[in-house]
């Protein structure tokens, strides 16, 4: 029998898709999100469709005490895969956006991911086995005007995860960073950025993104930029001046 997978942000979008993929693979699931009704709905669906064991935890990952509580509750479970997926964006001019929301975003996108990786990663190293998937973005590579803090959080995810993967090379534990571009989930709606150019061009379907991400995780790849157009976009930025990259990024964000 396969072990446990912990997935944050399992109530919607990519996290929900990862939950279905992993349940289909026969893993038992630990699902994390804030919305209890959604967590129950997803858990019931997965149990019914895939006959797996599912635990769900209502956790606000922007709150340190709730992250600590989650870590204690899952401490004794042999977690073979950790998917740090929960995340959100605060869109708008930095001088006018709500600092409190940005602080929460830094907690969810950076601090909770780092804490869960530290605590669960340590156990994986002891077990000499484990896979960690951290969700970055093409914003990990390209600064985003009107998304300045969000893209900076995703740069952190990429830098941290790539370095950690190298550090853990001989341990049997891999750390894979997934960098999607615009994807059809609740992400844009929650940040009130549905009408910007980025989300009106080449938006990928969530199932396709999740499947490509899972393949990369399974192979233990260090980094996977999802989709050919996103790969090319990142590649081009290596050959053009930063000023031009920022100009184009600024247009895409409006
Ligand atoms: N969609 C895109 O275009 C895109 C592009 C690049 C990267 N990404 C990244 O992909 C990841 C998944 O996002 P998505 O596109 O699937 O968006 P989504 O549909 O909005 O899902 C976000 C998930 O994160 C959870 N979440 C948000 N705040 C939370 C908090 N404080 N505590 C616990 N859970 C929280 C939400 O659960 P609850 O609401 O139940 O708390 C939800 O399950 C994120 O890291 C995002 O940055 C998305």
């Amino acid at each position: 029998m396969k072990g446990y997978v912990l997935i944050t942000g399992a109530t919607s979008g990519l996290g929900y898709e990862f939950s279905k993929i992993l349940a289909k693979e026969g893993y038992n699931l630990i699902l994390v999100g804030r919305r209890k009704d959604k967590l129950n709905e997803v858990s019931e669906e997965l149990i019914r469709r895939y006959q797996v064991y599912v635990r769900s935890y209502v956790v606000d990952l922007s709150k340190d005490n709730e992250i600590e509580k989650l870590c204690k509750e899952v401490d004794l479970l042999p977690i073979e895969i950790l998917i740090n997926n929960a995340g959100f964006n605060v869109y708008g001019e930095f001088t006018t956006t709500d600092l409190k929301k940005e602080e929460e975003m830094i907690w969810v996108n950076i601090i909770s991911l780092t804490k869960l990786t530290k605590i669960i990663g340590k156990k994986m190293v002891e077990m000499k086995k484990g896979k960690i998937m951290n969700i970055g973005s093409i914003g990990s590579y390209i600064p985003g005007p009107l998304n300045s803090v969000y893209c900076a959080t995703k740069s952190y995810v990429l830098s941290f995860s790539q370095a950690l993967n190298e550090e853990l090379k001989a341990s049997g534990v891999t750390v894979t960073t997934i960098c999607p571009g615009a994807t059809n989930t609740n992400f844009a709606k929650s940040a009130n950025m549905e009408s910007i150019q980025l989300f009106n061009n080449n938006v990928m379907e969530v199932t396709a993104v999740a499947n490509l991400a899972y393949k990369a995780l399974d192979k233990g790849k260090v980094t996977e930029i999802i989709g050919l157009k996103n790969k090319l976009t990142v590649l081009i930025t290596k050959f053009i001046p930063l000023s031009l990259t920022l100009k184009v990024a600024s247009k895409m964000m409006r």
Side-chain angles (χ1 to χ4, degrees):
M1 196 179 85
K2 287 187 172 165
Y4 282 90
V5 181
L6 190 151
I7 304 171
T8 66
T11 52
S12 151
L14 282 168
Y16 171 57
E17 293 302 320
F18 291 137
S19 306
K20 285 189 287 183
I21 293 171
L22 273 303
K24 204 170 170 190
E25 291 288 322
Y27 285 96
N28 294 311
L29 299 167
I30 305 164
L31 307 181
V32 176
R34 280 170 309 180
R35 287 169 294 163
K36 193 169 189 226
D37 53 337
K38 265 280 167 199
L39 276 174
N40 289 342
E41 208 178 284
V42 174
S43 304
E44 279 164 23
E45 182 195 343
L46 297 176
I47 293 166
R48 189 180 64 247
R49 281 177 70 178
Y50 305 106
Q51 291 82 49
V52 289
Y53 183 69
V54 183
R55 288 175 180 229
S56 62
Y57 294 94
V58 178
V59 181
D60 184 340
L61 293 167
S62 70
K63 297 198 164 67
D64 197 25
N65 61 330
E66 296 197 21
I67 303 169
E68 294 280 342
K69 194 166 164 238
L70 170 69
C71 291
K72 281 196 189 115
E73 302 221 25
V74 300
D75 187 47
L76 293 175
L77 300 175
I79 297 172
E80 288 179 14
I81 301 180
L82 165 64
I83 302 185
N84 281 307
N85 162 77
F88 70 97
N89 190 358
V90 177
Y91 173 73
E93 284 174 16
F94 177 71
T95 51
T96 60
T97 46
D98 182 356
L99 181 60
K100 185 90 189 60
K101 284 299 294 172
E102 272 149 353
E103 283 174 358
E104 282 172 20
M105 178 171 62
I106 290 167
W107 267 95
V108 177
N109 296 9
I110 295 183
I111 303 175
S112 76
L113 173 145
T114 309
K115 283 190 115 161
L116 289 172
T117 302
K118 167 86 88 185
I119 289 158
I120 296 168
K122 193 174 174 197
K123 298 241 158 185
M124 288 176 171
V125 170
E126 283 164 15
M127 294 192 298
K128 300 187 172 59
K129 180 182 174 183
K131 289 183 187 296
I132 300 172
M133 181 201 283
N134 289 337
I135 308 296
S137 160
I138 56 164
S140 299
Y141 296 92
I142 305 170
L146 303 181
N147 295 275
S148 56
V149 182
Y150 173 77
C151 289
T153 67
K154 294 299 182 180
S155 284
Y156 172 94
V157 171
L158 179 66
S159 171
F160 163 66
S161 310
Q162 286 181 332
L164 185 60
N165 182 68
E166 189 62 27
E167 203 177 305
L168 296 180
K169 249 212 167 133
S171 72
V173 179
T174 57
V175 185
T176 300
T177 316
I178 301 298
C179 296
T183 306
N184 191 10
T185 66
N186 284 333
F187 175 81
K189 193 172 176 211
S190 324
N192 201 16
M193 55 196 285
E194 279 171 304
S195 59
I196 68 168
Q197 269 212 47
L198 182 71
F199 281 95
N200 285 294
N201 273 300
N202 309 316
V203 178
M204 287 187 74
E205 277 313 313
V206 66
T207 317
V209 174
N211 280 316
L212 290 168
Y214 178 67
K215 271 191 197 144
L217 174 78
D218 199 40
K219 285 186 188 152
K221 286 183 87 170
V222 189
T223 316
E224 183 69 7
I225 299 168
I226 303 290
L228 186 61
K229 283 192 175 137
N230 293 321
K231 282 188 173 83
L232 285 175
T233 302
V234 171
L235 185 67
I236 287 166
T237 63
K238 295 190 193 304
F239 298 102
I240 63 173
L242 177 63
S243 57
L244 183 56
T245 299
L246 290 170
K247 213 173 184 177
V248 175
S250 184
K251 257 192 149 176
M252 295 300 288
M253 298 301 176
R254 286 168 206 278

